[in-house]
């Protein structure tokens, strides 16, 4: 197997010059660089990534910790992360926690052992957790993404969930709806609370009373929306009252579960009940009826997380950033005008 010394001998340069060519640590003339690269190609020599990383204290590898979910939202964000890593010449190591705290801690240890240059956290398991392990690595750059532990002191990329919840509710009101319910996410999570607060504020601003019978806490999964519909139906039957004319589901997965439950019950969307979701996952425009929803810039979220982490690597002493991405409304066919 060829070594750096072999490349230096054939190129008629020193081994330090060969190192500078491969690591780009010093200016080397175009002629010498060409001789070194030709010699390496002739010998089928590939520089050791491990040796380079030890010398430069940089592995060109980023780690990402993500909550596993059936929600395609995460995959769409991850696509943006992977694309940006590729564009910037970085490798990505992805670890799924599957909502398991022990697996989460093991994954963090694995990423640190792999000497990643920085970490991206998109792991709701970490919300409210004492992240003790990171205190042992104070120099490790960390970016917390939406669905991560927003209380953690680091650079943050987040969705303006409050604005998104307000936009969704105001859209229903503008279409004549006054009997409006909400399927929230788990209310110990930042996104769920913010979207629900936006919902309540829009009702308050339009002088519409909040009916607690039309509020149900979900889990950001399809069954959360399905079960929420059953809850609304039980309450209406018990009290001899009607269902709301419109529902805001705080993500698209719950909106789809809700539509499925209502359809099984013989209701037509949107003629009998209107539904608006949140996230604008790719599936949203292909269900029947296509889902009116709040668009999150998911690819941009992934790209911005990588760019923010690389900026932190370049300027470790710069002030911490909070980057807020703005949601927009996508009108389709699941909401009717009253």
């Amino acid at each position: 197997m060829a070594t750096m010394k072999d490349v230096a001998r054939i190129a008629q340069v020193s081994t330090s010059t060969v190192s500078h060519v491969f690591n780009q640590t010093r200016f080397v003339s175009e002629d010498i660089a060409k001789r070194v690269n030709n010699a390496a190609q002739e010998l089928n020599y590939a520089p050791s990534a491990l040796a380079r990383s030890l010398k430069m204290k940089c592995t060109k590898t980023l780690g990402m910790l993500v909550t596993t979910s059936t929600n395609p939202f995460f995959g769409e964000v991850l696509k943006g992360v992977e694309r940006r890593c590729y564009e910037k010449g970085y490798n990505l190591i992805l670890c799924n926690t599957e909502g398991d705290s022990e697996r989460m801690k093991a994954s963090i240890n694995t990423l640190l052992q792999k000497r990643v240059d920085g970490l991206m956290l998109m792991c709701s398991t970490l919300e409210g957790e004492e992240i003790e392990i990171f205190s042992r690595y104070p120099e490790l750059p960390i970016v917390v993404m939406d669905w991560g532990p927003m209380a953690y002191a680091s650079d943050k990329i987040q969705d303006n969930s409050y604005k998104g919840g307000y936009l969704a509710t105001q859209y229903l009101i503008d279409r004549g709806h006054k009997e409006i319910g909400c399927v929230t996410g788990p209310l110990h999570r930042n996104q769920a609370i913010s979207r629900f607060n936006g919902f309540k504020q829009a009702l308050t601003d339009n002088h519409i009373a909040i009916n607690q019978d039309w509020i149900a806490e979900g889990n950001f999964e399809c069954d959360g929306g399905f079960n929420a519909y059953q809850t609304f139906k039980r309450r209406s039957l018990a009290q001899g009252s009607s269902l709301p004319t419109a529902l805001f589901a705080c993500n698209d997965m719950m909106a789809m579960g809700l539509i499925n439950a209502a359809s099984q019950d013989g209701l037509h969307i949107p003629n009998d009940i209107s539904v608006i979701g949140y996230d604008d996952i790719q599936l949203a425009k292909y269900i029947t009826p296509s889902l009116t929803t709040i668009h999150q810039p998911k690819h941009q979220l992934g790209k911005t997380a990588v760019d923010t982490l690389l900026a932190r690597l370049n300027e470790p002493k710069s002030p911490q950033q909070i980057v807020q991405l703005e949601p927009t409304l996508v009108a389709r066919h699941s909401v009717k005008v009253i």
Side-chain angles (χ1 to χ4, degrees):
M1 182 180 292
T3 66
M4 189 179 290
K5 288 183 178 180
D6 296 326
V7 175
R9 176 174 50 78
I10 291 180
Q12 297 182 330
V13 296
S14 67
T15 53
S16 63
T17 299
V18 174
S19 175
H20 288 312
V21 170
F22 290 144
N23 296 320
Q24 298 180 338
T25 49
R26 196 187 71 186
F27 173 76
V28 177
S29 71
E30 187 176 339
D31 178 62
I32 291 177
K34 185 176 181 181
R35 280 161 45 195
V36 169
N37 286 321
N38 285 343
Q41 187 173 1
E42 179 183 336
L43 293 168
N44 197 27
Y45 171 80
S48 167
L50 176 60
R52 182 190 300 164
S53 69
L54 290 173
K55 185 169 185 177
M56 300 181 69
K57 297 182 180 180
C58 171
T59 62
K60 299 286 283 186
T61 300
L62 303 179
M64 184 174 179
L65 199 64
V66 64
T67 298
T68 299
S69 171
T70 56
N71 191 344
F73 169 84
F74 292 99
E76 293 177 32
V77 173
L78 181 58
K79 187 176 180 181
V81 171
E82 290 177 319
R83 167 56 61 178
R84 195 57 170 172
C85 285
Y86 171 76
E87 291 171 351
K88 292 295 185 178
Y90 276 76
N91 298 309
L92 177 69
I93 299 177
L94 176 68
C95 290
N96 293 328
T97 69
E98 296 189 355
D100 186 307
S101 294
E102 290 307 311
R103 179 164 177 172
M104 172 196 71
K105 293 171 186 174
S107 295
I108 293 171
N109 275 319
T110 297
L111 292 171
L112 295 175
Q113 288 168 12
K114 296 292 185 182
R115 298 169 58 88
V116 294
D117 296 332
L119 274 179
M120 289 168 283
L121 304 180
M122 196 176 183
C123 182
S124 59
T125 312
L126 287 166
E127 252 185 286
E129 288 257 348
E130 184 67 33
I131 315 176
E132 180 272 333
I133 190 169
F134 293 139
S135 65
R136 303 203 301 267
Y137 301 87
E139 302 303 318
L140 180 69
I142 295 174
V143 170
V144 174
M145 304 168 68
D146 205 33
W147 285 73
M150 287 298 165
Y152 184 67
S154 67
D155 295 315
K156 298 178 179 67
I157 317 295
Q158 62 188 31
D159 165 55
N160 190 343
S161 287
Y162 176 88
K163 179 180 177 181
Y166 193 101
L167 280 174
T169 311
Q170 188 63 52
Y171 180 82
L172 296 174
I173 294 168
D174 289 344
R175 265 113 200 106
H177 295 276
K178 294 183 179 179
E179 298 176 354
I180 304 172
C182 181
V183 184
T184 75
L187 291 174
H188 63 277
R189 292 188 182 170
N190 179 67
Q191 300 89 343
I193 294 171
S194 295
R195 292 172 195 179
F196 187 42
N197 285 341
F199 163 82
K200 291 188 291 185
Q201 190 61 53
L203 292 183
T204 299
D205 288 351
N206 288 273
H207 310 290
I208 298 173
I210 298 171
N211 187 332
Q212 293 298 327
D213 288 337
W214 297 338
I215 308 297
E217 185 173 354
N219 59 0
F220 282 139
E221 302 290 346
C222 285
D223 63 345
F226 190 97
N227 294 335
Y229 174 82
Q230 307 301 336
T231 297
F232 296 143
K233 182 181 175 182
R234 281 197 305 271
R235 290 172 182 171
S236 68
L237 290 174
Q239 299 177 23
S241 58
S242 62
L243 292 169
T245 64
L247 286 166
F248 167 40
C250 286
N251 80 340
D252 290 346
M253 296 290 280
M254 294 192 300
M256 290 191 287
L258 198 157
I259 289 172
N260 180 265
S263 298
Q264 287 187 25
D265 205 29
L267 298 184
H268 183 272
I269 311 295
N271 289 342
D272 296 319
I273 190 167
S274 293
V275 177
I276 188 168
Y278 199 113
D279 284 341
D280 192 27
I281 60 176
Q282 288 187 346
L283 288 173
K285 61 184 175 183
Y286 296 113
I287 66 171
T288 303
S290 58
L291 183 65
T292 296
T293 185
I294 300 298
H295 173 78
Q296 275 207 78
K298 296 171 287 299
H299 186 275
Q300 184 67 28
L301 173 62
K303 174 182 179 294
T304 303
V306 175
D307 288 345
T308 303
L309 188 53
L310 297 185
R312 173 62 53 194
L313 288 169
N314 290 330
E315 297 184 43
K317 301 299 183 183
S318 62
Q320 291 173 352
Q321 296 186 67
I322 297 178
V323 181
Q324 187 158 264
L325 304 179
E326 297 300 323
T328 54
L329 187 134
V330 179
R332 295 196 179 101
H333 301 111
S334 61
V335 176
K336 78 168 183 177
V337 176
I338 292 182

